[in-house]
Amino acid sequence: MFTSKDVMTLRQQTGAGMMDCKKALIETDGDMEKAVDYLREKGVATAAKKASRIASEGIVYAEIKNGNGVMIEVNCESDFVARGDAFKDFVKEVADYIAENDVTSLEDVVAAKGAALTAAIAKIGEKIDIRRYVKISAKDSAVDSYIHMGGKIGVLVEASAGASADVIHDVALQIAAARPSYIRTDEVSKAEVDKEMEILKAQALNEENPKPLPIIEKMVQGRIKKYYKEVCLLEQDFVKDSSITVSKYLKDNGDVKILKFVRYEMGEGLEKKADTFVDEIMESVSKVQK
């Protein structure tokens, strides 16, 4: 009659809780349009009119709890709301749930926090999306996080057991600033390296006075090393002391091994709304006056 995907679609359209959406589809024999009307009639779809809006603001939030490292990104429509306590409280509530429960997918999180999400949308007055999360269970390792600019950038790092929080924190700061894609050079695929070498070779050949091919080949090899320094964490110059690499810093501070990292940048890849700054200010003022 209907699938779990239909339930998710209805939730996204209306902002209602998962159980409410499931009940609406049962009552309407799986008819999506009738289900939307059903929820509106019941007064559950308080966020229905906000479903088509663009939620491209928000925050990245991280916490270490019960041996678990959790980082999430939750989006809203305006920076004004993103900086508000009501929104931040909701984000922390979601992160707490992930840290304390065995969740395996974003759908699990949204289903469990659907009622709280609907309530937050109704209270705040903007579309809110729980966009993504990552969870690291540090049973035989150490984990720490770093949040930059009040939630614009977040980093979660897992390191070998016994690593000090200060060292992991420094590495997280490094990742936030330098944006590596990999930990080590052997993680970069051959296809990616070959593609980069082709680009570098073409650049050298297109120079005003190109050098002979054997020299270009040597130049490309040198530039690939520079490429590794850009994309591989351990090869990067350490942000707090550019005279050493991150690899050297870790070796000198307990020979720490970095096992995993995740870097979130708030709003990356999202469509941005076209409101002007003045429009956002006026909208914020209007909310305060209500």
Side-chain angles (χ1 to χ4, degrees), residues 61-72 95 98-104 132-146 154-161 168 172 175 183 257-264:
Y61 172 81
E63 67 179 27
I64 312 300
K65 191 172 187 178
N66 300 332
N68 296 313
V70 172
M71 184 166 67
I72 62 173
I98 296 170
E100 295 166 359
N101 293 274
D102 184 21
V103 297
T104 58
R132 53 182 173 171
Y133 81 93
V134 62
K135 180 177 179 179
I136 297 176
S137 296
K139 294 180 180 179
D140 300 310
S141 57
V143 63
D144 203 356
S145 63
Y146 173 73
V155 177
L156 199 62
V157 179
E158 181 183 12
S160 51
I168 308 177
I175 294 165
I183 298 174
K257 308 298 182 186
I258 302 302
L259 306 177
K260 180 179 181 180
F261 74 82
V262 181
R263 182 186 188 276
Y264 282 172

Side-chain angles (χ1 to χ4, degrees), residues 79-97:
D79 184 59
F80 175 80
V81 163
R83 288 184 278 108
D85 289 340
F87 181 74
K88 290 179 179 177
D89 288 345
F90 171 72
V91 174
K92 186 179 187 309
E93 179 182 341
V94 176
D96 286 343
Y97 175 81

Side-chain angles (χ1 to χ4, degrees), residues 167 234 245-257:
V167 170
L234 298 183
T245 62
V246 173
S247 178
K248 172 71 168 150
Y249 171 73
L250 292 172
K251 188 172 183 60
D252 292 346
N253 287 273
D255 199 18
V256 173
K257 308 298 182 186

